[in-house]
Amino acid sequence: MTRSVPLRRLLVALLLSCTVLVSATACGDSGDSGSATGTGVSASASAASPSASTEKQRLAKTRFVANAGLAAGATYQWIVKPYRAGTFKKGADGRTFALVKAGLAGGFAYNRLKAATENAKGDPLLSKAVAPLTAGIESLKGMATKLRNGQAGEGDIGAFESVIDSIKSAGKGAGAQVRDKVPSTSQLTG
């Protein structure tokens, strides 16, 4: 009488077999010993894999988009939107909390914009597009303190919007579409 093997054991065995196969393939020898003639496998594997500079450029754009998107989302959500709603005005409900969050968002946005400019250096086209914007980003350095203290005016908010819009258009021109991504409160506080 034969005994049936439980399905769970079969799945575990299959999963382990696949894992061993994948790890053996990934850890394969990159030398010529992989084929009998010294060509073939290693030559085709190197042709199929992207070069290090291509991978670096792709990751640079991805990181740029992520950092610039977080900066844009934080700026809009916690600086521009409350300012336009009048939450920063004296006597407004929730003013103190909004100013503290705006200060945190300003510091966060500045930090992410600096990171985005560093990421842009990994891609030649993106680097050229973002290079003229570094002075504008540096001008935002003390903005977090102004926001937190309630001293930011229309010009200051406009400066933030202008820098974010410039970063977005520079990214778009270099093939790196930036979309607003609102960070969580825990991301703002670090």
Side-chain angles (χ1 to χ4, degrees), residues 70 78 182-189:
L70 285 168
W78 289 302
V182 178
S184 66
T185 306
S186 63
Q187 285 178 310
L188 285 181
T189 58

Side-chain angles (χ1 to χ4, degrees), residues 2 5 16-17 23 29 36 39 43 65 71 85 100 103 106 108 110 114-115 132 138 147 150-151 161 164 177:
T2 61
V5 179
L16 287 174
S17 298
S23 62
D29 187 15
T39 60
V65 168
V100 169
F108 178 83
Y110 172 75
K114 291 291 284 181
E138 282 301 316
L147 287 165
Q151 300 168 343
E161 278 187 297
I164 295 294
Q177 182 77 28

Side-chain angles (χ1 to χ4, degrees), residues 5-184:
V5 179
L7 183 61
R8 189 179 329 172
R9 283 187 186 174
L10 283 174
L11 289 175
V12 169
L14 181 64
L15 181 64
L16 287 174
S17 298
C18 290
T19 304
V20 169
L21 180 64
V22 169
S23 62
T25 304
C27 296
D29 187 15
S30 63
D32 289 336
S33 63
S35 66
T37 62
T39 60
V41 173
S42 59
S44 64
S46 65
S49 67
S51 69
S53 63
T54 303
E55 186 69 17
K56 184 178 177 184
Q57 287 178 4
R58 188 175 62 82
L59 291 176
K61 279 187 178 183
T62 303
R63 289 179 180 144
F64 170 82
V65 168
N67 284 318
L70 285 168
T75 300
Y76 179 74
Q77 183 70 26
W78 289 302
I79 298 172
V80 175
K81 197 170 152 183
Y83 182 79
R84 288 186 181 153
T87 311
F88 294 164
K89 292 181 181 176
K90 290 185 181 182
D93 288 338
R95 178 178 187 256
T96 304
F97 185 66
L99 289 174
V100 169
K101 262 195 156 175
L104 289 171
F108 178 83
Y110 172 75
N111 181 295
R112 293 298 86 208
L113 287 171
K114 291 291 284 181
T117 57
E118 284 300 312
N119 298 140
K121 291 178 183 177
D123 182 70
L125 184 61
L126 196 54
S127 179
K128 288 177 187 175
V130 174
L133 305 174
T134 55
I137 293 169
E138 282 301 316
S139 71
L140 302 176
K141 192 172 189 172
M143 194 69 68
T145 306
K146 281 178 108 174
L147 287 165
R148 197 174 308 118
N149 295 334
Q151 300 168 343
E154 181 68 36
D156 298 320
I157 304 300
F160 247 114
E161 278 187 297
S162 175
V163 169
I164 295 294
D165 289 342
S166 299
I167 286 287
K168 282 180 168 182
S169 64
K172 186 176 183 178
Q177 182 77 28
V178 176
R179 298 180 204 271
D180 292 5
K181 182 172 189 234
V182 178
S184 66

